[in-house]
């Protein structure tokens, strides 16, 4: 997964350039012009690819393992972060992490899915697929946010809620439903950003917010294109068609007024420019938070409800 | 079947008009125990197998008839919603699937909203029809739940949702996922008005439907044997690579795991819900006293 199929020609060119650079530094032949020419070509190819990514390509980019994850957002945007663990009923869920920290100086409750970035951390975080405990911890943190009047920032990046036997036994449905309900009842600003994959119920459980943003190449969908293809086309081979039909890109969803804005990614995608991407997200969240401050809790709840009730009515 | 039912009957039917009340087959096989069920006996038994108590799936019309007092109710027309907003097409156009379901069921979408009384208490029911695209929840179903909630608040009535649904309607993409918070907002309106919200989980209640309005009831009831859960059995088996217990995700399993209050036989639903509504909406039992006084005076 570290190499995207459609990026292959670009990656090959980049490899050649770095090889040439290596040669040029210890030889007397001046090949600087050649390197520059090739670099221009690589940039051009990258630009061409990224200005017209297909929905199926966006799915790949959104899932890229080098994309900034929850931990990067915490590290680069949040100061004094103190993780808070556990749902106080059954367990801690490392797929959905959260806590309190300072965003641009203001204390907030922050939570989001963490997928992990190598075998060990992926297993530790269960690939970002939360169990009921994760959603119950989310409820607990939102209640705390309300108690201390701290804004809530959520970062969504999950393939979906975990489909396991224990998760069902302990009420996955109820946990997600109650998490959505808690989002709707929380009387402080909630700002959600879909930073990678917004997978169905497991995503929307923490993404019912005053403002919902998506990164330019992130996706948000009722079902994965693979799942959709296997049900409606009766074959996983049609996942490209499904990705297009589902209208799961930030651009489609913004047009349908189902999200509030798109945060641009540097040329070549978030996985090439992690810090810059995180910075862009930070700027958008900061502006949104500023616009929502100071707040009247009851007014926020009312406006949030009205916003969702209006969704899809004028298409 | 024989040439009589295959050939003659359809011909006669086309002459005398489509009489849907007459079943094609006088006998039905129970999908659970495979026992033979005579249609009239089955109907008298509320479409519950009288050999094994298997609760067969029923139409919305039958459901509403079983739920409301004396089977009397008034349907509330559904608001208009965008038709096939995504212009979705898989092997077949969504627009065609919708039209097929509409002509097959005679309904606009998978939900019907009706009002009446249960045990003398005012109630609005939002009931799903599984035969309409698997009872899947898209914009129309979401609007139906919002409408039912608004009607309940307006009439100071209880809201009763009766899902029978595979989950979100994929063909509406994110517009279907967004019905999860929308349906919960509807429930919030009923709760704000301090009116009871009862969910009757029927077969099946899964996916985005079970993970939204269906799991935030004041009271959760379920029909025996109904499949209720978030992820599909097959998906879970593929993920965990082990076989699941037979009773996994049944109403009885959910009762055992604390997710429903009671598993109730179809024939007892009206009485039990009536009693519950009476206690929740009329704690001092004024209605009964009023009726009794009225009778005494008359």
């Amino acid at each position: 997964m570290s190499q995207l199929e459609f990026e292959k020609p670009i990656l090959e060119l980049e490899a050649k350039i770095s090889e040439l650079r290596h040669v040029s530094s210890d030889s007397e032949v001046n090949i600087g012009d050649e390197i520059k020419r090739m670099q221009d070509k690589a940039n051009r190819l990258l630009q061409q690819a990224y200005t017209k990514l297909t929905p199926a390509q966006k799915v790949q980019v959104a899932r890229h393992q080098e994309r900034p994850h929850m931990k990067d957002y915490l590290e680069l945007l949040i100061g004094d972060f103190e993780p808070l663990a556990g749902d106080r009923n059954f367990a801690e869920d490392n797929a959905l992490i959260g806590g309190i920290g300072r965003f641009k100086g203001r204390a907030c409750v922050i939570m989001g899915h963490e997928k992990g970035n190598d075998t060990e951390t992926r297993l530790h975080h269960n690939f970002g697929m939360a169990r009921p405990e994760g959603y119950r911890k989310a409820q607990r943190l939102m209640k705390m946010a309300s108690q201390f009047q701290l804004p809530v920032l959520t970062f969504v990046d999950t393939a979906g809620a975990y489909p396991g036997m224990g998760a069902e036994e302990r009420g996955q449905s109820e946990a997600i439903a109650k998490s959505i309900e808690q989002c709707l009842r929380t009387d402080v600003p909630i700002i959600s950003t879909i930073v990678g994959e917004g997978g169905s119920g497991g995503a929307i459980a923490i993404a019912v917010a005053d403002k919902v943003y998506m990164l330019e190449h992130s996706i948000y969908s009722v079902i994965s294109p693979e799942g959709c293809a296997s049900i409606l086309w009766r074959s996983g081979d049609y996942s490209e068609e499904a990705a297009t039909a589902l209208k799961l890109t930030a651009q489609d969803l913004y047009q349908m007024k189902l999200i509030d804005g798109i945060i641009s990614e540097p040329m070549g995608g978030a996985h090439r420019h992690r810090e810059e991407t995180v910075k862009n997200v930070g700027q958008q969240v900061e502006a949104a938070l500023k616009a929502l401050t100071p707040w009247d809790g009851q007014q926020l709840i009312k406006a949030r409800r009205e916003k969702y009730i209006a969704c899809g009515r004028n298409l | 079947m024989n040439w009589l039912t295959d050939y003659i009957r359809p011909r006669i039917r086309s002459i005398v008009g489509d009489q849907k009340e007459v079943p094609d087959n006088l006998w039905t096989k129970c999908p659970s125990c495979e026992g033979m069920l005579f249609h009239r006996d089955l109907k008298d038994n509320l479409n519950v197998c009288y050999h094994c108590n298997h609760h067969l799936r029923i139409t919305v019309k039958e459901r509403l008839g079983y739920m409301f007092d004396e089977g009397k109710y008034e349907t509330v027309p559904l608001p208009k919603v965008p038709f096939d907003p995504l212009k979705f097409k898989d092997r077949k156009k969504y627009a065609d699937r919708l039209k097929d379901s509409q002509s097959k069921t005679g309904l606009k979408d998978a939900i019907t909203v009706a009002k009446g009384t249960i045990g003398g208490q005012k109630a609005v029911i939002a009931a799903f029809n599984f035969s309409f695209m698997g009872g899947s929840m898209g914009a129309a179903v979401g609007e139906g739940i919002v409408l039912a909630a608004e009607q309940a608040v307006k009439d100071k009535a209880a809201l009763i949702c009766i899902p029978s649904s595979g989950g979100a309607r994929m063909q509406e993409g994110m517009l279907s996922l967004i019905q999860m918070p929308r349906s919960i907002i509807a429930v919030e309106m009923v709760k704000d008005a301090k009116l009871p919200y009862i969910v009757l989980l029927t077969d099946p209640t899964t996916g985005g439907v079970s993970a939204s309005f269906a799991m935030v009831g004041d009271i959760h009831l379920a029909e025996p044997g109904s499949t209720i859960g978030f992820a599909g059995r097959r998906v879970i088996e593929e993920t965990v690579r082990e076989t699941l217990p037979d009773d996994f995700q049944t109403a009885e399993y959910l009762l055992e795991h604390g997710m429903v209050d009671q598993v109730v036989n179809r024939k007892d639903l009206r009485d039990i819900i009536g009693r519950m509504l009476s206690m929740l909406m009329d704690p001092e039992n004024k209605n009964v006293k009023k009726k009794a006084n009225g009778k005494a005076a008359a």
Side-chain angles (χ1 to χ4, degrees):
Chain A
M1 246 292 280
S2 60
Q3 270 201 19
L4 304 179
E5 192 60 38
F6 71 91
E7 282 192 352
K8 265 196 182 142
I10 303 162
L11 293 173
E12 277 165 17
L13 198 57
E14 279 174 346
K16 240 181 243 166
I17 294 166
S18 103
E19 210 175 284
L20 279 178
R21 282 226 168 96
H22 193 71
V23 174
S24 109
S25 64
D26 48 38
S27 85
E28 285 170 13
V29 194
N30 189 351
I31 44 174
D33 285 352
E34 177 65 7
I35 291 175
K36 193 183 170 301
R37 198 182 57 78
M38 284 169 76
Q39 188 62 57
D40 286 348
K41 192 183 169 197
N43 291 345
R44 209 166 52 239
L45 284 175
L46 196 66
Q47 187 152 4
Q48 274 170 5
Y50 273 82
T51 40
K52 46 175 189 184
L53 288 180
T54 66
Q57 287 169 339
K58 287 204 186 235
V59 172
Q60 294 176 41
V61 175
R63 291 173 181 166
H64 198 290
Q65 62 179 19
E66 304 286 321
R67 232 179 138 73
H69 283 179
M70 180 60 182
K71 289 219 164 137
D72 300 300
Y73 290 94
L74 287 176
E75 199 185 299
L76 295 166
L77 290 181
I78 309 298
D80 292 346
F81 181 69
E82 291 299 335
L84 299 173
D87 69 344
R88 299 295 185 269
N89 283 304
F90 184 77
E92 159 64 346
D93 188 340
N94 294 307
L96 209 171
I97 56 180
I100 44 175
R102 291 194 180 273
F103 172 66
K104 313 280 175 189
R106 171 189 273 283
C108 293
V109 162
I110 304 113
M111 63 176 101
H113 306 92
E114 173 58 54
K115 287 180 166 179
N117 46 23
D118 54 31
T119 309
E120 197 186 326
T121 54
R122 274 188 208 119
L123 284 171
H124 176 71
H125 293 290
N126 198 34
F127 301 84
M129 294 188 285
R131 297 180 168 93
E133 297 73 47
Y135 298 109
R136 293 192 177 121
K137 176 173 64 184
Q139 294 163 45
R140 192 195 127 213
L141 295 185
M142 284 189 264
K143 284 178 192 160
M144 200 181 80
S146 170
Q147 164 90 352
F148 296 98
Q149 290 293 295
L150 310 177
V152 178
L153 312 180
T154 76
F155 298 88
V156 175
D157 190 13
T158 182
Y162 185 64
M165 186 166 143
E168 293 288 324
E169 258 180 329
R170 300 191 298 278
Q172 187 73 288
S173 295
E174 192 265 1
I176 292 171
K178 281 282 167 65
S179 190
I180 295 173
E181 187 184 71
Q182 189 55 50
C183 285
L184 289 163
R185 286 179 178 179
T186 303
D187 61 354
V188 293
I190 307 179
I191 300 164
S192 292
T193 312
I194 318 294
V195 294
E197 218 179 343
S200 198
I204 204 165
I206 60 161
V208 178
D210 301 301
K211 294 288 172 194
V212 179
Y213 299 104
M214 283 178 76
L215 268 175
E216 189 180 347
H217 306 310
S218 65
I219 57 162
Y220 195 5
S221 182
V222 65
I223 186 169
S224 72
E226 293 83 359
C228 180
S230 82
I231 297 171
L232 292 181
W233 279 266
R234 308 244 163 99
S235 157
D237 298 343
Y238 290 86
S239 62
E240 271 192 57
E241 285 84 347
T244 307
L246 282 165
K247 301 245 192 304
L248 44 62
T249 68
Q251 293 70 28
D252 282 328
L253 298 174
Y254 184 65
Q255 208 192 343
M256 288 191 271
K257 298 197 175 82
L258 296 180
I259 59 164
D260 298 287
I262 301 174
I263 303 169
S264 59
E265 294 183 27
M267 184 48 65
H271 54 286
R272 281 198 169 74
H273 311 272
R274 297 150 66 99
E275 288 196 18
E276 206 182 325
T277 304
V278 174
K279 211 179 90 197
N280 289 354
V281 170
Q283 277 173 357
Q284 180 63 72
V285 173
E286 187 183 15
L289 188 55
K290 206 173 153 196
L292 289 164
T293 313
W295 60 83
D296 169 338
Q298 292 314 306
Q299 192 54 41
L300 272 179
I301 290 173
K302 188 167 168 268
R304 203 179 294 146
R305 283 189 188 181
E306 283 166 1
K307 172 184 134 168
Y308 278 91
I309 288 295
C311 269
R313 275 196 173 163
N314 294 313
L315 285 176
Chain B
M1 222 121 14
N2 55 30
W3 63 272
L4 250 171
T5 50
D6 285 346
Y7 182 69
I8 299 292
R9 272 197 23 198
R11 285 281 303 272
I12 296 172
R13 208 185 265 176
S14 67
I15 297 162
V16 299
D18 197 12
Q19 292 181 318
K20 276 188 181 144
E21 295 306 312
V22 181
D24 289 331
N25 201 338
L26 298 179
W27 292 87
T28 307
K29 203 193 243 180
C30 170
S32 176
C33 73
E34 302 201 336
M36 294 308 284
L37 303 161
F38 188 60
H39 77 100
R40 206 169 295 143
D41 297 340
L42 184 61
K43 213 175 162 191
D44 288 347
N45 205 35
L46 313 183
N47 285 294
V48 175
C49 171
Y50 42 83
H51 304 300
C52 73
N53 199 38
H54 176 75
H55 282 53
L56 280 80
R57 280 181 194 151
I58 52 176
T59 65
V60 163
K61 213 175 151 192
E62 288 166 322
R63 172 68 67 192
L64 296 175
Y66 300 158
M67 298 296 295
F68 285 111
D69 291 340
E70 291 143 32
K72 280 197 287 196
Y73 59 88
E74 189 188 323
T75 53
V76 187
L78 293 174
K80 217 173 142 54
V81 294
F83 184 85
D84 186 15
L86 267 52
K87 305 271 171 283
F88 194 97
K89 183 172 175 277
D90 47 87
R91 291 175 308 154
K92 196 172 164 184
K93 279 186 189 162
Y94 172 47
D96 294 338
R97 283 186 200 270
L98 258 181
K99 282 181 204 150
D100 288 353
S101 279
Q102 285 172 340
S103 60
K104 194 179 80 185
T105 59
L107 299 168
K108 267 167 86 180
D109 211 290
I111 200 164
T112 301
V113 178
K115 56 180 188 169
T117 61
I118 302 176
Q121 302 297 328
K122 282 191 265 183
V124 175
I125 294 184
F128 283 64
N129 198 331
F130 188 77
S131 57
F132 195 108
M133 295 192 75
S136 55
M137 177 164 71
V141 168
E143 287 296 353
I145 295 169
V146 171
L147 173 81
E150 286 170 344
Q151 188 72 45
V153 172
K154 199 173 120 200
D155 297 350
K156 296 192 172 58
L159 175 65
I160 298 171
C161 282
I162 312 181
S164 174
S165 169
R169 189 171 295 168
M170 287 175 277
Q171 293 92 340
E172 292 189 16
M174 272 301 291
L175 270 172
S176 68
L177 195 73
I178 216 83
Q179 304 311 321
M180 292 173 71
R182 291 184 90 238
S183 65
I184 293 179
I185 293 169
V187 172
E188 290 286 84
M189 300 192 283
V190 175
K191 289 184 179 174
D192 283 353
K194 307 255 184 261
L195 294 161
Y197 170 49
I198 296 181
V199 185
L200 168 59
L201 302 154
T202 68
D203 189 56
T205 302
T206 57
V209 165
S210 80
S212 60
F213 69 91
M215 276 292 158
V216 293
D218 296 311
I219 293 173
H220 295 168
L221 306 176
E223 280 195 339
S226 305
T227 296
I228 306 157
F230 180 66
R233 193 186 175 97
R234 204 162 44 96
V235 177
I236 299 170
E237 279 178 339
E238 277 166 16
T239 311
V240 299
R241 299 192 188 283
E242 55 184 288
T243 38
L244 301 163
D246 283 344
D247 70 341
F248 185 63
Q249 293 182 327
T250 59
E252 293 73 13
Y253 178 94
L254 263 83
L255 178 69
E256 202 182 303
H257 287 89
M259 288 298 148
V260 301
D261 294 285
Q262 289 187 23
V263 176
V264 182
N265 282 315
R266 196 169 282 164
K267 65 177 167 54
D268 300 325
L269 281 168
R270 189 191 284 159
D271 285 351
I272 288 179
I273 292 176
R275 266 202 297 282
M276 286 175 165
L277 292 185
S278 157
M279 284 184 266
L280 297 175
M281 299 172 83
D282 181 19
E284 287 164 42
N285 221 359
K286 282 181 187 154
N287 258 354
V288 172
K289 279 179 197 158
K290 225 188 281 169
K291 267 187 207 160
N293 288 345
K295 266 182 198 158

